[in-house]
Amino acid sequence: MTNTQAAPQNSHESSLSSGQRDSDSIIEVRNPATGEVAGTVAIASAEQVGATADALRRAQPEWEAIGADGRRKWLLALQDWVLDHAEELADAIQSESAKPRIDARVEIAFAVDQLGYWARHAGKFLADQHPAPHTPLMRVKRLTTVYQPYPVVGVITPWNFPLGMGIADLVPALAAGAAVLHKPSEVTPLTPLVLERGWAEIGAPPVFAVVSGRGDTGRAVIDNVDYVQFTGSVPTGQKIGVACAERMLPYSLELGGKDPAIVLADADLDRAAYGIAYGALVNAGQLCISIERVYVEAAVYDAFVDKLVAHVKELRLGQDDRDCRFDVGALANETQLGIVERHVNEAISAGAKALTGGRATGVGTFFEPTVLVDVDHTMSCITEETFGPTIPVMKVAGEAEAIALANDSVFGLSATVWTRDRARAQRIARRLNVGAVNINDSVINLFNFTIPHGGWGKSGTGYRWGGANGVRKYCRQKAITAPALPTQKKELLWFPYSPGNFGIMESAMRALSARGLRRFGLGGAGKS
Ligand code: NAD
């Protein structure tokens, strides 16, 4: 369990005086598995954040002006750079998160996919729209909807995907023509600096910058941008909403979750066990759409639990390096380890059983992949977001109880349903109070950019992706009307008012919009 990876260095580091470590001006980043220092970053002050945002604001008009075709060139050049620096990026990710190599490489594959998709499709999504008028009376107008980017978009991200979390939002924002100011988590600030270096190395216009720091730096970002895209916890998301409201800023919040899985009696139990184990334990469970509760129909409960436990017992826990020997890595930090330990210990004290796992290993922040049974909705492992490698499983009488329990949560991010009956799965999906449902699969909605990703309830507000909406969300919309026919000197409604002219207009409008005799001014409230 040694970390052999080179730690990326922050460009600000040379200006630091020796002896300054983890203070108001510096963050020392440690590998959570080994405690080794992975790097240090200088905290950007409010003034530095303001100056960085000003520089982005100055560069953005040209970025907008080159159009989607011009931007595609740079985004695809960054895609090349990411592919050419995949090992370096994966090293950086692992150095600060201690995740398995495959989990780190998935972030890079995700980045490549994001860059390719938004680069190639943004032009189509941002093209002017010419909607047909809603009424024949307006056919005299040519209508246009124009999408113009917010000049500077602030992207504030958590630590669970040091590369992927930023990529998920900064790529569509850049593709939309906005400049992006990214404030990554103080827990994993190193990888975003590698990406920022890549943007500079390809010679792209200076419309993407990273500022390092904690909450104060995030607050300074909100003070200086035109749109805030936030991913993180519910309490921070609520503060961000308030701060944005004070500045009248639009924002989108992607927050926590407590995703349920429903296993019905007719499910392929092997696939359900493998899929739920992956959905719950990938990235050591530190995934917003991690499966955190499983409801299993009584008829197959024992068989399913046996398969799940057998599979989870096979998983390899440890500090991975480039040779991909482990499936589950460490937790991001001691705070996260503390939450997982508390949830498991509280459940066991209240009568739950850990059929496998249940303890921290004592090395770094590793916690054993854990299957909990005999849990209920009074326990923190079911009601609070755990964000760790635990799978609490409950037996239910049937579909109705499963849906009721799945919906008994303040969160509503996503869910999974496991059954061979496709119609039943679709029916259940529509009854779950969540922003996404994967049928007979887990996590996969995150790899589909033509559908929206967003939470219901306390899991957030707004959506990322969803095809055209993925870039249009970073744009202000402008409506333009222009005459479609030669114009006259005056329109009927213009001054001076004339009951006769108005009457002609009103009659036409009513004839086209109302129903029955009211169309002709006869009968009921429409009688004139
Ligand atoms: P967090 O809320 O503590 O921090 C997130 C970011 O906000 C960090 O960069 C932090 O420095 C910054 N921040 C903190 N206070 C701020 C303030 N007042 N103003 C501006 N910025 C501020 O979250 P975390 O612990 O880093 O991440 C874990 C959480 O993220 C979990 O709840 C998880 O579910 C959630 N998450 C959600 C999604 C999603 O898409 N819904 C994806 C990944 C993670």
Side-chain angles (χ1 to χ4, degrees), residues 18 91 247 261 338 390 475 495:
S18 63
D91 289 348
R247 286 202 57 222
T390 61
C475 295
F495 299 132

Side-chain angles (χ1 to χ4, degrees), residues 442-472:
S442 51
V443 182
I444 201 66
N445 63 305
L446 274 189
F447 295 93
N448 283 281
F449 314 142
T450 58
I451 49 176
H453 176 241
W456 292 16
K458 284 202 168 176
S459 290
T461 179
Y463 298 87
R464 56 162 65 100
W465 313 336
N469 288 332
V471 285
R472 289 181 187 164

Side-chain angles (χ1 to χ4, degrees), residues 85-317:
H85 294 76
E87 295 295 338
E88 181 188 350
L89 281 162
D91 289 348
I93 292 168
Q94 284 186 293
S95 77
E96 56 186 346
S97 68
K99 64 176 69 183
R101 190 72 174 180
I102 298 284
D103 285 347
R105 292 300 298 258
V106 166
E107 291 197 49
I108 292 154
F110 174 80
V112 169
D113 207 12
Q114 282 274 336
L115 284 158
Y117 176 69
W118 298 112
R120 293 191 176 91
H121 291 83
K124 180 177 66 192
F125 296 153
L126 296 172
D128 289 357
Q129 305 288 304
H130 297 289
H134 72 283
T135 165
L137 289 178
M138 286 298 166
R139 291 213 180 121
V140 295
K141 296 294 175 194
R142 178 171 162 81
L143 304 181
T144 308
T145 304
V146 176
Y147 300 97
Q148 292 183 286
Y150 290 101
V152 183
V153 169
V155 173
I156 302 175
T157 54
W159 41 257
N160 52 340
F161 294 99
L163 179 69
M165 277 320 333
I167 283 284
D169 298 309
L170 68 89
V171 175
L174 286 170
V180 172
L181 182 57
H182 180 199
K183 208 300 278 177
S185 168
E186 55 271 41
V187 180
T188 53
L190 302 175
T191 310
L193 292 170
V194 179
L195 188 73
E196 185 193 43
R197 197 193 84 217
W199 187 253
E201 281 184 11
I202 61 172
V207 290
F208 168 50
V210 175
V211 284
S212 304
R214 304 191 180 93
D216 286 346
T217 307
R219 276 189 284 274
V221 167
I222 297 169
D223 287 340
N224 286 281
V225 298
D226 308 298
Y227 184 103
V228 175
Q229 169 64 49
F230 173 78
T231 308
S233 64
V234 174
T236 310
Q238 286 169 323
K239 286 185 203 153
I240 299 231
V242 170
C244 287
E246 280 171 1
R247 286 202 57 222
M248 211 58 133
L249 290 186
Y251 60 88
S252 180
L253 306 174
E254 299 288 347
L255 309 179
K258 191 74 193 173
D259 288 4
I262 295 177
V263 182
L264 299 171
D266 66 348
D268 174 341
L269 292 187
D270 288 307
R271 183 170 174 86
Y274 288 132
I276 287 171
Y278 179 74
L281 303 175
V282 60
N283 213 42
Q286 302 166 117
L287 171 69
C288 54
I289 61 164
S290 178
I291 294 172
E292 298 218 350
R293 309 175 274 153
V294 185
Y295 303 103
V296 189
E297 273 198 297
V300 292
Y301 175 83
D302 289 336
F304 170 78
V305 169
D306 286 350
K307 287 175 190 288
L308 179 69
V309 170
H311 179 48
V312 170
K313 278 184 172 164
E314 291 166 354
L315 299 180
R316 301 158 300 173
L317 176 71

Side-chain angles (χ1 to χ4, degrees), residues 18-39:
S18 63
Q20 282 183 302
R21 287 290 178 259
D22 219 18
S23 63
D24 288 346
S25 56
I26 294 160
I27 294 168
E28 189 172 67
V29 185
R30 287 181 182 271
N31 179 312
T34 62
E36 286 173 25
V37 175

Side-chain angles (χ1 to χ4, degrees), residues 416-457:
T416 65
V417 180
W418 304 82
T419 170
R420 287 190 170 90
D421 184 337
R422 291 178 183 196
R424 190 181 183 198
Q426 290 286 344
R427 208 175 55 237
I428 293 172
R430 282 158 178 73
R431 292 185 59 195
L432 294 172
N433 296 331
V434 294
V437 179
N438 290 309
I439 296 170
N440 294 329
D441 209 337
S442 51
V443 182
I444 201 66
N445 63 305
L446 274 189
F447 295 93
N448 283 281
F449 314 142
T450 58
I451 49 176
H453 176 241
W456 292 16

